Amino acid sequence: MDIHAGQDGIELGGDWSFAFAIGQVDAGYDSAAALAKAGLQIRSCRVPGNLELDLQANGLIGEPYQGLNILDLMKYERAHVWYFRRFSAQPKPGHNAELVFEGIDCYADIYLNGRKLGSTDNMLIEHVFQIDGLLAGENELFVHIRPAVEEARKYEYPPLVGAIPNNYDSLYVRKAPHMYGWDIFPRAVSCGLWRPVRLRYMPHERIEDAFLATKSLTADHRRAELLLHFRVNIQDGPQDVYELQIDGACGPSRFSQRHRVPFIAGQVKIGVDQPRLWWPRNRGEPNLYAVTVSLLKNGQTVHGVRLHHGIRTVELRRTEVTRADDGEFCFVINGEKIFILGSNWVPADAYHSRDAERIPRIVDLAEKVGCNMLRCWGGGVYENDTFYELCDRKGILIWHDFSMACAIYPQDEGFCRRFEAEAIKAVKRLRQHPSIVLWCGDNECDWSYSWFSEGKDPNQNVLTRRIIPAVLQQYDAGRPYLPSSPYISPEAFEAGSDDVLPENHLWGPRNYYKSPYYLGSRCHFASEIGYFGCPSPTSLRKFLSPSKVWPWQNNLEWNLHSTEAVPWSSSAYGDMRVKQTANQVRELFGVIPDSLEEFSLGSQASQAEAKKFFIEFFRTNKWRRTGIIWWNLMDGWPQISDAVVDYYFEKKLAWHCIQRAQQSVCLTFKEAAGWFQDLVVINDTREDVEVRYTVKDIDGGEVLLEGRAVAAGDGVTQLGKVPYSGAVKRFYLIEWDGPAGEGRNHYLAGHPPFDLATYKRWMIAAGFESELPK
């Protein structure tokens, strides 16, 4: 919500100063003068920022992501840090003054001109402090950040709670879970003013809240009913008349309504004829109405807000369990089922002050690779506003976890109150975005009950079964909710098997990508599934020490960047993950290459073929399968991982193969049934599409199939058959064109092992030469 009338302020980012001290220190400093008197060295820094980046800028540490450097930074977890700056500002008549911190990491005391304004204990949400009467012309803003690892020691840890060893101190601390070390991020607990800080003037009479929701949409899409929820702050003199003026426009479609305001809160019903609907990618335009809500006093505007609204309905049709012949997990937008092709969204950077600059490029990659959904994974943060605005404009759906992952979180009253306050702020901040189509309680916390509590029922989790549903019922009742991912319903818990889950995370043994584990999965929807891919030699040399680039065996830098978050906690994990990467290469090619260049090629090829297969396996079984959200699009730090784009924005081979596999109209082969394979065309648009196609064996150019056909809208159409033998290794090039445009795909037929040199030759012939790792 953009405040646009009767409000101004001062951005307080940019140049700041800081000091730090490790260990037992006097925590009573409340000004820069107190720091100087204590003899602490004052250094320059930037806000938004993170402590480690400030230290690097001052020459106190090296590049954190290089080699093993990040391990040396753990000593700063126990640092007290003081940030401060001066600014000029006076009180403004008729206005309230507020200090707004969009992100403070994490436990902090805030002072203005030596007076304590308050404290914070949550990195993930905005904090606002009223400062009426405290501005003094020349002002000093002073922030003391206390070590989160020390604050964590102040809580009790009853037997119910649980996490992996190096995440235990995160359980009571409301920071991004990944910061304590994950299999995709290092331990980088960090602290700082990681989002913008500003002084805001708000008129005394103003709109405090305005939320516009789509209440209903007729089946023929000819009329929508909207509902504006509002709260205003008015002085309400006996002769004063207050009104709201609501105006919305999207191209030629417009609505306008004036509403008398007899009280500080209320609702306004708005009818829209022939609405321009918001659609996800490949289903229509993501139309957004520009809406202005103005507060009028005696006919004169005193304040207003601007917002964007997408008129759309959303439904998640799902069953509690699935069996061989029934069950469902399907998103429905504006009454139409949508097949999901998505990727998991992880934080853009391990140091979150750098997220904002990276997000636009990453969302652009998601759009270009053909995703219509991004899943905001529960190990991260509630993202920067730019992320949601881009998804709104591009028609990319968002599945949004609350920020909890892979743990059994505290259930005591104090923690529940803190989490409820967080959930309310997050929901109210994000609910206007039409791209968000699902709130999910957490990532894998239901599974965590079997990992850490000897099989207790996850349906006893009050955070996801009581608190979040109550928050959503009050503040955003029109959006679906899933308690966990994967969600273990009472029926599923009673069944005692993941095979009955309609939505699942398909990790398993990470062996050959066509193994029975993958082919035999029953789930309708996979919200996590992945395969490792080594970055290119060029990228590896950017973050590994020259002597540690190769070989990978017994290599601590490979282990750390694979990711062994903290060696003392899980000393075998990084080594295990590197070996898994190597074993996946051997599964497809029969050998583990002994040179860096061939290893990178083999690893990227195995990842590309695996993820391409996962996507096409789900798509060719549409609507028994209803979506796949593969893991994952982008790395948040340099590593060997499942991501298809590395930290330096270099695309792996998998990105290019996925781009072909996710075309809205796509030709591929179903898995063999007996001695034949079916060529099919998948059409994710609602209209029938004519295609003219050719299938060639890339060796020799033999044409195996060719013809014309009509691809049924929202369906899978069989086009023909080719002979199949697992003993015969072939590479099929599939090409097509038609009114919807040209397309190209490939299919690797036969049983492994394949010859890596031959595979490289095939891929070059198929047009992938420039996409191979270098």
Side-chain angles (χ1 to χ4, degrees):
M1 186 172 68
D2 175 31
I3 309 297
H4 73 91
Q7 175 267 322
D8 54 24
I10 301 172
E11 293 297 326
L12 296 177
D15 293 330
W16 283 55
S17 299
F18 82 108
F20 71 94
I22 298 173
Q24 297 295 322
V25 299
D26 181 354
Y29 306 137
D30 58 6
S31 67
L35 295 179
K37 184 176 180 180
L40 293 174
Q41 185 168 351
I42 308 299
R43 296 177 170 89
S44 63
C45 65
R46 299 283 294 175
V47 171
N50 287 85
L51 172 62
E52 294 84 349
L53 304 182
D54 300 332
L55 295 173
Q56 183 186 4
N58 281 273
L60 300 178
I61 64 171
E63 162 56 54
Y65 293 168
Q66 178 69 32
L68 300 178
N69 285 354
I70 204 159
L71 298 179
D72 295 333
L73 305 186
M74 290 176 63
K75 63 186 177 184
Y76 295 104
E77 292 180 6
R78 287 175 167 76
H80 288 258
V81 187
W82 297 269
Y83 290 95
F84 62 91
R85 66 158 293 167
R86 299 192 65 81
F87 66 96
S88 299
Q90 298 279 3
K92 184 174 182 180
H95 289 70
N96 298 116
E98 301 173 339
L99 278 173
V100 181
F101 292 81
E102 292 189 19
I104 304 179
D105 184 8
C106 166
Y107 291 88
D109 301 315
I110 293 85
Y111 300 85
L112 180 63
N113 301 327
R115 179 169 176 175
K116 186 175 180 180
L117 302 179
S119 301
T120 68
D121 63 358
N122 193 316
M123 163 195 177
L124 303 167
I125 55 177
E126 178 182 85
H127 299 276
V128 179
F129 299 93
Q130 305 298 323
I131 56 171
D132 291 335
L134 299 181
L135 290 173
E138 290 299 315
N139 305 278
E140 182 183 78
L141 180 57
F142 186 89
V143 180
H144 171 207
I145 299 181
R146 308 188 304 276
V149 296
E150 297 296 339
E151 294 294 323
R153 293 171 176 262
K154 299 177 180 179
Y155 300 101
E156 292 189 19
Y157 293 83
L160 173 65
V161 301
I164 62 174
N166 55 287
N167 290 170
Y168 233 84
D169 52 346
S170 75
L171 288 171
Y172 277 93
V173 180
R174 296 310 296 153
K175 290 165 62 76
H178 77 83
M179 299 175 78
Y180 290 82
W182 221 264
D183 58 359
I184 58 167
F185 277 105
R187 185 175 171 100
V189 175
S190 195
C191 69
L193 305 177
W194 69 282
R195 278 182 171 160
V197 182
R198 64 185 184 276
L199 168 67
R200 182 169 69 193
Y201 293 110
M202 298 291 291
H204 290 159
E205 296 193 303
R206 60 184 180 266
I207 299 170
E208 294 277 9
D209 193 19
F211 169 46
L212 186 60
T214 301
K215 190 71 174 177
S216 64
L217 178 66
T218 58
D220 59 8
H221 296 171
R222 292 184 178 181
R223 183 172 174 83
E225 296 289 340
L226 312 183
L227 190 62
L228 177 73
H229 305 262
F230 69 88
R231 191 183 191 285
V232 296
N233 189 20
I234 53 180
Q235 295 178 344
D236 205 15
Q239 305 301 319
D240 294 326
V241 175
Y242 292 90
E243 298 170 294
L244 284 181
Q245 177 65 42
I246 306 107
D247 297 290
C250 180
S253 178
R254 297 176 181 272
F255 59 83
S256 181
Q257 190 159 329
R258 185 168 291 200
H259 176 79
R260 182 75 178 264
V261 180
F263 184 61
I264 63 169
Q267 300 177 343
V268 184
K269 295 180 180 179
I270 304 167
V272 184
D273 291 320
Q274 304 298 326
R276 303 189 73 174
L277 302 184
W278 188 93
W279 289 100
R281 296 186 73 246
N282 299 324
R283 304 299 295 193
E285 292 299 314
N287 293 301
L288 292 170
Y289 282 77
V291 180
T292 301
V293 183
S294 301
L295 175 64
L296 282 63
K297 179 180 182 179
N298 302 323
Q300 300 298 313
T301 300
V302 294
H303 188 232
V305 299
R306 290 195 184 103
L307 53 88
H308 286 97
H309 181 67
I311 297 178
R312 62 105 182 91
T313 60
V314 56
E315 177 187 358
L316 176 58
R317 295 177 185 167
R318 65 175 180 84
T319 53
E320 299 293 273
V321 295
T322 190
R323 306 294 181 186
D325 299 321
D326 63 6
E328 188 175 23
F329 192 99
C330 185
F331 287 91
V332 180
I333 307 295
N334 300 330
E336 297 185 6
K337 295 196 298 183
I338 305 295
F339 191 94
I340 298 300
L341 294 170
S343 181
N344 280 272
W345 178 275
V346 304
D349 202 288
Y351 294 120
H352 285 283
S353 63
R354 299 196 288 209
D355 289 352
E357 66 191 51
R358 291 171 59 84
I359 283 172
R361 288 183 69 185
I362 303 174
V363 175
D364 186 60
L365 287 166
E367 179 185 31
K368 288 180 178 176
V369 83
C371 289
N372 63 6
M373 177 176 276
L374 292 170
R375 172 181 176 245
C376 285
W377 168 68
V381 298
Y382 308 106
E383 281 296 351
N384 184 280
D385 289 341
T386 300
F387 169 74
Y388 304 100
E389 292 164 1
L390 287 171
C391 290
D392 288 345
R393 294 202 299 267
K394 295 175 181 292
I396 298 176
L397 304 169
I398 297 174
W399 164 321
H400 211 304
D401 291 357
F402 286 85
S403 291
M404 296 185 288
C406 299
I408 302 176
Y409 284 83
Q411 307 282 296
D412 61 87
E413 184 177 350
F415 184 85
C416 288
R417 282 198 304 268
R418 292 169 59 210
F419 180 77
E420 180 182 37
E422 171 190 318
I424 290 171
K425 282 196 172 185
V427 169
K428 290 181 69 175
R429 176 186 155 224
L430 301 177
R431 63 187 176 181
Q432 194 59 59
H433 293 285
S435 53
I436 299 178
V437 294
L438 178 68
W439 291 113
C440 181
D442 57 55
N443 173 77
E444 295 184 359
C445 290
D446 275 15
W447 269 357
S448 297
Y449 275 74
S450 65
W451 301 338
F452 305 123
S453 74
E454 299 180 353
K456 286 188 173 63
D457 186 352
N459 294 287
Q460 298 173 0
N461 185 343
V462 299
L463 300 173
T464 58
R465 271 52 171 196
R466 180 171 60 83
I467 290 177
I468 296 176
V471 168
L472 295 176
Q473 182 64 31
Q474 290 190 75
Y475 297 102
D476 193 22
R479 226 174 302 250
Y481 172 64
L482 189 70
S484 185
S485 180
Y487 167 47
I488 301 175
S489 66
E491 292 89 337
F493 180 73
E494 183 68 25
S497 170
D498 286 349
D499 284 344
V500 303
L501 301 180
E503 167 263 341
N504 209 347
H505 296 183
L506 298 180
W507 290 111
R510 291 184 179 240
N511 56 352
Y512 178 44
Y513 55 82
K514 294 186 182 182
S515 73
Y517 173 80
Y518 298 107
L519 293 175
S521 65
R522 289 184 181 178
C523 66
H524 303 278
F525 194 105
S527 45
E528 288 187 14
I529 186 171
Y531 220 72
F532 298 133
C534 180
S536 70
T538 299
S539 288
L540 289 170
R541 292 188 175 100
K542 291 179 180 179
F543 64 88
L544 298 176
S545 303
S547 64
K548 296 296 184 180
V549 173
W550 191 257
W552 58 265
Q553 294 92 337
N554 301 312
N555 188 325
L556 292 180
E557 292 192 16
W558 273 68
N559 291 354
L560 175 67
H561 291 268
S562 285
T563 298
E564 184 174 271
V566 282
W568 48 261
S569 174
S570 52
S571 58
Y573 186 79
D575 183 58
M576 177 189 75
R577 184 161 177 165
V578 178
K579 288 178 179 177
Q580 281 184 333
T581 303
N583 288 338
Q584 288 174 348
V585 177
R586 183 166 53 195
E587 283 288 296
L588 189 59
F589 296 109
V591 297
I592 298 174
D594 56 9
S595 73
L596 174 62
E597 289 71 22
E598 292 296 291
F599 184 88
S600 175
L601 172 61
S603 179
Q604 290 201 19
S606 64
Q607 181 191 47
E609 293 298 332
K611 291 191 171 180
K612 177 181 182 298
F613 168 74
F614 295 151
I615 293 165
E616 292 176 350
F617 178 64
F618 271 69
R619 294 191 75 185
T620 56
N621 287 281
K622 180 182 181 175
W623 290 100
R624 172 57 181 81
R625 312 278 184 172
T626 52
I628 179 171
I629 305 178
W630 39 270
W631 191 283
N632 64 308
L633 180 64
M634 181 84 193
D635 279 328
W637 92 300
Q639 62 180 333
I640 298 94
S641 73
D642 300 273
V644 300
V645 182
D646 71 28
Y647 178 76
Y648 306 104
F649 287 94
E650 184 170 329
K651 303 181 186 76
K652 300 177 188 177
L653 181 60
W655 189 91
H656 302 281
C657 290
I658 290 171
Q659 186 181 45
R660 294 186 177 187
Q662 293 194 158
Q663 297 168 92
S664 58
V665 176
C666 182
L667 274 68
T668 190
F669 283 94
K670 297 192 74 169
E671 284 308 288
W675 297 100
F676 292 91
Q677 275 190 287
D678 291 336
L679 177 70
V680 297
V681 56
I682 307 150
N683 182 3
D684 282 349
T685 72
R686 66 171 65 86
E687 306 297 335
D688 293 350
V689 175
E690 183 179 344
V691 294
R692 182 174 61 246
Y693 61 90
T694 303
V695 179
K696 297 178 181 177
D697 187 325
I698 206 140
D699 279 335
E702 176 190 0
V703 176
L704 304 174
L705 284 172
E706 61 181 339
R708 295 175 179 267
V710 174
D714 255 338
V716 179
T717 304
Q718 182 176 341
L719 301 180
K721 295 178 180 291
V722 297
Y724 176 83
S725 169
V728 179
K729 299 172 177 58
R730 307 182 80 173
F731 189 103
Y732 299 141
L733 180 63
I734 310 165
E735 297 176 299
W736 65 92
D737 61 26
E742 298 180 348
R744 173 180 281 200
N745 200 5
H746 77 272
Y747 186 85
L748 191 63
H751 291 167
F754 294 84
D755 177 69
L756 181 58
T758 301
Y759 178 85
K760 181 179 180 180
R761 174 172 58 80
W762 286 341
M763 291 296 280
I764 291 172
F768 282 102
E769 182 172 10
S770 63
E771 282 79 36
L772 298 177
K774 298 176 178 62

